[in-house]
Amino acid sequence: MSDQIIGMQQWFETPPGRYLLAWERAEFDRAVGDIFGYHALQLGLPGLDTLAANRMPHRWLALGEPRGGADPGARPTLVTDFAALPFEEHSLDLVVLPHSLELNADPHATLREVERVLVPEGKVVICCLNPASLWGLRQRRGHLYRRLGFGRELFLPDAGEFIGYRRLRDWLRLLSFEVESSSFGCWRPAMATEKWLDRFDWMDSLGQRWWPFLGAAYFIVAVKRVRGIKMIGPAWKTAKSIATAPVPLANRSHRARHRLPHRPLTHR
């Protein structure tokens, strides 16, 4: 996994990488800013601080492997296997996965572990590259050329398998997650230079309106639902006040109006 993460980090320094990173940073800030709780965890990708806009008191960065020479701002809190997180069940309020599923050898196990550590009604925020996009199409073409022996350079990082949007939604539904919101972004063609990317900036507004599912990346916010749990308010009445409260008598006035008249006892 280490080589794949380094490849993604280096790719974010390219013109298309910076273009994608700017959109993702804005999406993460918008998504996590209003999620409340106490404990938040980011899995992977230290170059992108996905919890910067979150206000939880405890926020951690976890990596799958130690990184040598990382800058202090990206220093991980812990190094762990994403499929075996060192947290108790129902202990985290938010888990963020910035391309972590694509860079993981077993994304199913990672999602199952995320479901385990999240509290009921906890949230998971996921960002992935979209294989059903112009960027994904160019990436598949690059892999085809490589198999044919042309050796053409890939446009996107040669990381793990890209996960389709509908496929990921199915995985989440099987784990009792409910998708709260989703979005797509970055509709410009797969251009390697900033000059050509800027020439097609008009495609972002058109793509968002006319072909949103073809964005280069997608974003999902999902909530963990647990059956049988009902949120209730505080018990405002104490047991003492309930015990001493007067018990109303049903139809007291009705019985008083129809009470039989008193008849004095007489001796025969």
Side-chain angles (χ1 to χ4, degrees), residues 69-96:
D71 60 47
R75 183 175 300 168
T77 309
L78 66 154
V79 177
T80 179
D81 183 359
F82 291 172
L85 297 175
F87 297 96
E88 296 181 356
E89 293 185 6
H90 309 157
S91 59
L92 300 181
D93 301 283
L94 169 64
V95 178
V96 184

Side-chain angles (χ1 to χ4, degrees), residues 236-246:
W236 297 108
K237 295 183 179 180
T238 62
K240 182 178 179 180
S241 63
I242 295 175
T244 58

Side-chain angles (χ1 to χ4, degrees), residues 90-106:
H90 309 157
S91 59
L92 300 181
D93 301 283
L94 169 64
V95 178
V96 184
L97 303 171
H99 301 284
S100 307
L101 296 179
E102 300 158 322
L103 303 175
N104 199 294
D106 193 349

Side-chain angles (χ1 to χ4, degrees), residues 196-256:
W196 281 99
L197 283 171
D198 292 341
R199 287 187 177 183
F200 288 92
D201 59 351
W202 54 270
M203 291 188 66
D204 283 334
S205 57
L206 289 182
Q208 186 174 7
R209 180 176 182 181
W210 297 108
W211 52 84
F213 292 100
L214 299 181
Y218 63 88
F219 204 85
I220 290 180
V221 179
V223 185
K224 176 182 175 179
R225 303 297 190 191
V226 178
R227 295 181 180 180
I229 292 183
K230 182 179 180 181
M231 304 298 293
I232 60 175
W236 297 108
K237 295 183 179 180
T238 62
K240 182 178 179 180
S241 63
I242 295 175
T244 58
V247 179
L249 298 177
N251 298 326
R252 174 187 289 179
S253 60
H254 177 76
R255 289 199 302 271

Side-chain angles (χ1 to χ4, degrees), residues 3 17 42 97 108 111 148 155 178 180 191 194 228 265:
D3 293 340
Q42 174 181 336
L97 303 171
H108 297 273
L111 277 181
L148 296 177
F155 179 73
E178 178 181 327
E180 184 180 73
M191 301 295 181
E194 187 172 357
L265 296 177

Side-chain angles (χ1 to χ4, degrees), residues 33-254:
D34 294 328
I35 299 178
F36 299 99
Y38 296 95
H39 306 100
L41 176 67
Q42 174 181 336
L43 295 179
L45 205 61
L48 175 59
D49 186 3
T50 64
L51 299 174
N54 188 261
R55 289 169 283 181
M56 293 188 192
H58 305 289
R59 293 170 290 175
W60 303 298
L61 168 65
L63 297 183
E65 293 182 1
R67 288 171 52 86
D71 60 47
R75 183 175 300 168
T77 309
L78 66 154
V79 177
T80 179
D81 183 359
F82 291 172
L85 297 175
F87 297 96
E88 296 181 356
E89 293 185 6
H90 309 157
S91 59
L92 300 181
D93 301 283
L94 169 64
V95 178
V96 184
L97 303 171
H99 301 284
S100 307
L101 296 179
E102 300 158 322
L103 303 175
N104 199 294
D106 193 349
H108 297 273
T110 298
L111 277 181
R112 286 194 298 267
E113 188 68 359
V114 169
E115 190 276 336
R116 183 188 69 83
V117 300
L118 276 176
V119 300
E121 304 300 315
K123 295 187 178 182
V124 58
V125 181
I126 305 172
C127 186
C128 291
L129 291 169
N130 183 15
S133 64
L134 294 177
W135 292 22
L137 178 62
R138 178 167 174 175
Q139 186 79 351
R140 290 195 298 272
R141 187 181 63 183
H143 281 295
L144 176 61
Y145 286 162
R146 279 191 171 186
R147 288 195 297 268
L148 296 177
F150 292 100
R152 179 169 295 188
E153 183 178 355
L154 297 176
F155 179 73
L156 297 172
D158 190 12
E161 179 185 0
F162 295 157
I163 304 169
Y165 170 73
R166 297 188 182 278
R167 184 182 178 190
L168 182 54
R169 286 183 65 110
D170 290 340
W171 290 359
L172 292 170
R173 185 170 59 250
L174 290 175
L175 291 172
S176 300
F177 282 101
E178 178 181 327
V179 175
E180 184 180 73
S181 64
S182 59
S183 59
F184 291 77
C186 301
W187 290 272
R188 303 180 196 181
M191 301 295 181
T193 64
E194 187 172 357
K195 176 181 177 181
W196 281 99
L197 283 171
D198 292 341
R199 287 187 177 183
F200 288 92
D201 59 351
W202 54 270
M203 291 188 66
D204 283 334
S205 57
L206 289 182
Q208 186 174 7
R209 180 176 182 181
W210 297 108
W211 52 84
F213 292 100
L214 299 181
Y218 63 88
F219 204 85
I220 290 180
V221 179
V223 185
K224 176 182 175 179
R225 303 297 190 191
V226 178
R227 295 181 180 180
I229 292 183
K230 182 179 180 181
M231 304 298 293
I232 60 175
W236 297 108
K237 295 183 179 180
T238 62
K240 182 178 179 180
S241 63
I242 295 175
T244 58
V247 179
L249 298 177
N251 298 326
R252 174 187 289 179
S253 60
H254 177 76

